[in-house]
Structure formats: C-alpha cells, structure tokens
Amino acid sequence: MQEQWSAVDGYLVSALLPEDEVLSGALARARAAGLPAIDVAPNQGRLLNLLARTRGARRILEVGTLGGYSAIWLGRALPPGGRLVSLELDEAHAVVARENLAAAGLAGVVEVVVGPALESLPGLVGGEPFDFVFIDADKPSNPEYFRWALRLTAPGSVIVVDNVVRGGAVADGGSVDPGVVGTRELNRLIAAESRVEATAVQTVGSKGYDGFAYVLVTG
C-alpha cells in the first residue's frame, strides 16, 4: 500500500503544486546536513499554508522547526507585518533552518528559537496571542504543548497537531509507547477542554499512515 500511497501523493503534488526551487532546495540542504527526512509532505505543507491563510493569521507559532520546510510554508502565509516564531531543540537543525529561511526571503519574518520548547514557551507569555499554532515535535510532550498553545492563543485561533494517528497505534489503549501515550493524553485533554472544538483526521501518503488534529479555540 505504501507504494500506491506515495504514487498518489506524487501525482497530486505534480498536478496541483507548481515546481518550487526554494522548497526543493530547503529539503536538499536538510538531507545534505543529515537531518531526518520527517518534514511534512509538499501537499501537507500547502494545506498548512492554506489553513493559516484561511484563518488570516498574522502571528504563527510552530513547535518543532527541523530544517525549516514547514516554516517556509507557514511564513509564506503571513501578510505584511506578520510574524512566525518557531521553536527548535537542536542547534544544528536551527542552523539549517535559518539558512533555508534566508534563501526563502523569510529571515526577517521567522524567528527560530533554540532550546527545549517547554523552556522557551513561557517566554512568549504576555505577547499578542498567536492566531495559528502548528505542533510537530516530540510526541510525549504534546499534552504540555497543547496546554501552552491554549494559553498563548485567543478565541478564533487554530491549533494543528501533526502525527496523531501513529500508524494506527493510537487506537491501542494498552500501548506503552511514549508517543502513543502522549497522543492519547492529548486527545483526553482536548475532549475535556470546554474552550475548544476539535476533530482528528487519518491520512495516508508519501509519509505513510498517520493523521492530524485540528482544534478551534472558541473561548
């Protein structure tokens, strides 16, 4: 099935997304630097871009930068004067991301903050709320990332959490896998939170079998 999923993704990308040397270059630099090939797929990146634009996001928070590929998609969604803050644990990853963002003309738009995200997030308190949050970092910490996202957003903001299906393992209530446990706790928190409405969608494609959660902050 993976071969078919990848073939369909390849067709959809070639049919709907124009060639983009900046994005291709970003992926090439990331691979040359030895970064893991866990960036979002091109059609997923376009979806993030469209979601942020649909929201009219002026301030975006990303948890998990990697090589800056998704940050380019999100940064391009911003209007003039917009700002993206992207949190990255690994300094080596941040170096590649900043190079890619500069090549995309977004060096003055995207700020890459290095360090454990749970240590960086408190420093964002007190600023203008974020309109859009994309969480794509270590999965065991997703519950805490969600709590912080709620604190840093306002009614009308959107929170997207990637990789919430875990190849189907999320349905296993007895799993001791930290990523599955963290994801299930994330879902419990979302369901119990009166200030949001949410759904989750399974996806298949070049990145395999996974999915994302979409959360609208309502109160």
Side-chain angles (χ1 to χ4, degrees), residues 63-194:
V63 183
T65 314
L66 194 61
Y69 184 76
S70 55
I72 293 173
W73 279 111
L74 289 168
R76 287 176 169 180
L78 290 165
R83 189 76 175 165
L84 166 62
V85 178
S86 187
L87 309 182
E88 172 55 45
L89 174 65
D90 193 308
E91 174 64 38
H93 293 180
V95 169
V96 177
R98 291 184 181 118
E99 181 181 357
N100 284 333
L101 290 162
L106 294 169
V109 174
V110 182
E111 177 185 6
V112 179
V113 178
V114 179
L118 292 177
E119 295 179 10
S120 301
L121 286 163
L124 301 176
V125 174
E128 186 180 347
F130 289 96
D131 306 304
F132 191 94
V133 179
F134 179 48
I135 300 173
D136 188 14
D138 60 303
K139 311 313 170 187
S141 297
N142 274 347
E144 290 304 313
Y145 295 148
F146 173 69
R147 289 188 177 99
W148 276 106
L150 267 183
R151 186 171 178 180
L152 294 167
T153 52
S157 297
V158 169
I159 303 168
V160 175
V161 187
D162 202 9
N163 307 128
V164 299
V165 172
R166 318 302 300 153
V170 72
D172 180 5
S175 175
V176 295
D177 179 273
V180 174
V181 173
T183 300
R184 289 179 65 91
E185 175 63 11
L186 167 70
N187 290 331
R188 187 193 69 78
L189 289 173
I190 292 173
E193 178 53 66
S194 62

Side-chain angles (χ1 to χ4, degrees), residues 15-92:
L16 299 175
L17 277 67
E19 289 288 334
D20 193 313
E21 293 183 1
V22 169
L23 289 166
S24 298
L27 291 177
R29 278 186 287 273
R31 298 297 84 79
L35 274 62
I38 55 174
D39 320 81
V40 300
N43 47 348
Q44 295 169 340
R46 171 59 69 84
L47 176 61
L48 289 171
N49 176 278
L50 293 175
L51 290 174
R53 288 162 60 191
T54 300
R55 169 58 187 85
R58 296 186 59 84
R59 281 176 54 79
I60 298 176
L61 172 63
E62 178 181 52
V63 183
T65 314
L66 194 61
Y69 184 76
S70 55
I72 293 173
W73 279 111
L74 289 168
R76 287 176 169 180
L78 290 165
R83 189 76 175 165
L84 166 62
V85 178
S86 187
L87 309 182
E88 172 55 45
L89 174 65
D90 193 308
E91 174 64 38

